[in-house]
Amino acid sequence: MISIGIPIYNAEDYLEDAIKSVLAQSFKNFELILIDDGSTDNSLAIAKSFNDPRIRIYTDGTNKKLPFRLNQIIQLAKYDYIARMDADDLMDVDRLKKQFEYLKNNPGIDLVTTGMYSIGKHNEILGKRIPNNKMMTASEILGGITNLLHASMLARKEWCLRNPYRVDNALAEDYELWLSAAIKKDLKYNVIQEPLYYYREVENVKIEKMIKGYNTQIEVINHSSDGVISDHDRKKIIRKFQVKKIIVKILNAIKLMSILQKHRVAKISEDDLNRYTQNMDYIQQVGK
């Protein structure tokens, strides 16, 4: 069975559909752990409106940030497989089935991620991204480019327990997770090259979040690169992140941040549109 964890913070605009996409899964043997991180909107009420015995809701009224809640999900999980999902995203109805089957059939692999469709504020499909399927090394991850979509991860619980999140890193927690595991030679994964996750990327292409994320990545590079890459390469990578910050600031100043979102994804085909539409129709039929 699978423990699915969704941390929630002020996600009232999207949470209902996110939960519906979980309940619509063709894989039925799961628990859904919803952890509210001190939301001040209607998120908790939306979570409580679903009547399904597989749903467990936790709230303590405080805002402890994403890494703390992700570690909490690992501790609360009853089962040997843990799935990630963000509260503003959706997933293909066969996501869990395909990931679970892969891990069951490949005992040497600890986690599996997927490709994704990029979606907008009104669930409209904007593009897709299908990463290459290869295991990244620590030096490659330090360069800032990975093929791992954190929110689509299904991992063995024992791997999660070996690789907890650093609680004071709330903006590049996935980057540091992959890097620290790779440095320990504990990053054995596969990428299913299908768009099984629907990522609301428009919510992440924002100036404040991107700049803070780049700054956090630079901090991680500075304290994690010793013995992995040379000092020359470290400085080169940091310069690349500094350039990215400048580009983001310029695009924001001229009100063209949407270019970044479009640059990140490929165009969709008619088959993509049909697949997405069929999935969304099925998800919207889920009752409470």
Side-chain angles (χ1 to χ4, degrees):
M1 296 184 72
I2 295 174
S3 295
I4 308 162
I6 304 181
I8 303 166
Y9 179 70
N10 289 351
E12 65 179 4
D13 292 340
Y14 308 119
L15 182 60
E16 181 175 335
D17 282 349
I19 296 173
K20 283 184 175 182
S21 77
V22 175
L23 299 181
Q25 290 296 293
S26 57
F27 185 96
K28 302 297 184 183
N29 297 325
F30 63 80
E31 64 169 347
L32 174 57
I33 302 171
L34 302 174
I35 296 187
D36 183 70
D37 192 32
S39 294
T40 56
D41 66 358
N42 201 39
S43 293
L44 186 58
I46 292 170
K48 291 179 177 179
S49 70
F50 284 85
N51 182 23
D52 192 297
R54 295 170 296 180
I55 297 177
R56 299 161 59 196
I57 300 172
Y58 294 85
T59 179
D60 57 18
T62 61
N63 180 236
K64 296 182 178 179
K65 306 299 182 185
L66 181 59
F68 181 93
R69 298 305 184 185
L70 293 176
N71 285 336
Q72 188 177 7
I73 286 168
I74 295 168
Q75 296 298 324
L76 290 170
K78 293 180 180 179
Y79 304 121
D80 292 334
Y81 298 87
I82 298 177
R84 278 273 292 113
M85 184 180 179
D86 287 336
D88 56 351
D89 295 337
L90 306 168
M91 56 171 128
D92 184 286
V93 296
D94 288 328
R95 174 205 162 180
L96 295 181
K97 175 184 176 183
K98 292 183 177 182
Q99 289 181 294
F100 180 80
E101 287 177 349
Y102 185 88
L103 287 183
K104 287 290 286 185
N105 293 328
N106 294 272
I109 299 297
D110 289 315
L111 63 102
V112 58
T113 61
T114 75
M116 63 88 163
Y117 286 135
S118 178
I119 61 175
K121 293 183 177 181
H122 305 289
N123 291 343
E124 69 275 21
I125 184 170
L126 303 175
K128 69 177 178 180
R129 185 159 69 243
I130 308 296
N132 293 328
N133 185 19
K134 59 167 286 189
M135 291 191 198
M136 306 284 287
T137 65
S139 59
E140 289 173 321
I141 295 171
L142 276 168
I145 300 175
T146 76
N147 57 348
L148 287 151
L149 178 59
H150 183 220
S152 76
M153 179 179 77
L154 176 69
R156 301 183 193 277
K157 183 177 180 179
E158 57 190 18
W159 182 87
C160 296
L161 290 170
R162 294 198 306 267
N163 295 279
Y165 295 87
R166 198 184 93 194
V167 295
D168 59 347
N169 180 359
L171 286 165
E173 73 285 340
D174 52 345
Y175 177 72
E176 186 163 20
L177 175 69
W178 312 137
L179 179 58
S180 62
I183 290 173
K184 295 186 297 184
K185 309 295 184 186
D186 194 18
L187 187 62
K188 299 178 179 64
Y189 67 93
N190 181 75
V191 179
I192 296 177
Q193 294 183 290
E194 291 185 52
L196 298 177
Y197 193 83
Y198 304 163
Y199 184 42
R200 212 172 298 274
E201 200 162 26
V202 293
E203 292 296 328
N204 292 301
V205 183
K206 296 180 178 179
I207 181 69
E208 297 86 359
K209 189 170 186 178
M210 294 187 74
I211 294 299
K212 289 180 180 178
Y214 288 145
N215 287 336
T216 306
Q217 284 180 289
I218 290 171
E219 184 263 328
V220 172
I221 292 166
N222 278 325
H223 77 66
S224 300
S225 59
D226 287 350
V228 181
I229 57 175
S230 67
D231 189 57
H232 171 78
D233 287 342
R234 179 185 62 81
K235 292 178 180 178
K236 183 178 179 180
I237 292 169
I238 290 175
R239 283 196 298 270
K240 182 178 72 173
F241 278 103
Q242 298 290 9
V243 170
K244 287 184 176 182
K245 288 165 57 178
I246 293 171
I247 293 172
V248 167
K249 289 177 180 179
I250 292 173
L251 291 175
N252 183 68
I254 61 178
K255 303 186 184 304
L256 289 176
M257 287 289 283
S258 60
I259 291 177
L260 290 176
Q261 193 278 325
K262 292 178 181 178
H263 178 71
R264 292 181 174 190
V265 296
K267 291 182 179 180
I268 60 169
S269 66
E270 190 69 25
D271 287 342
D272 287 316
L273 182 58
N274 290 336
R275 173 179 179 163
Y276 179 75
T277 301
Q278 290 172 5
N279 266 270
M280 287 304 301
D281 287 345
Y282 190 76
I283 289 168
Q284 292 301 335
Q285 292 174 18
V286 173
K288 293 185 179 181

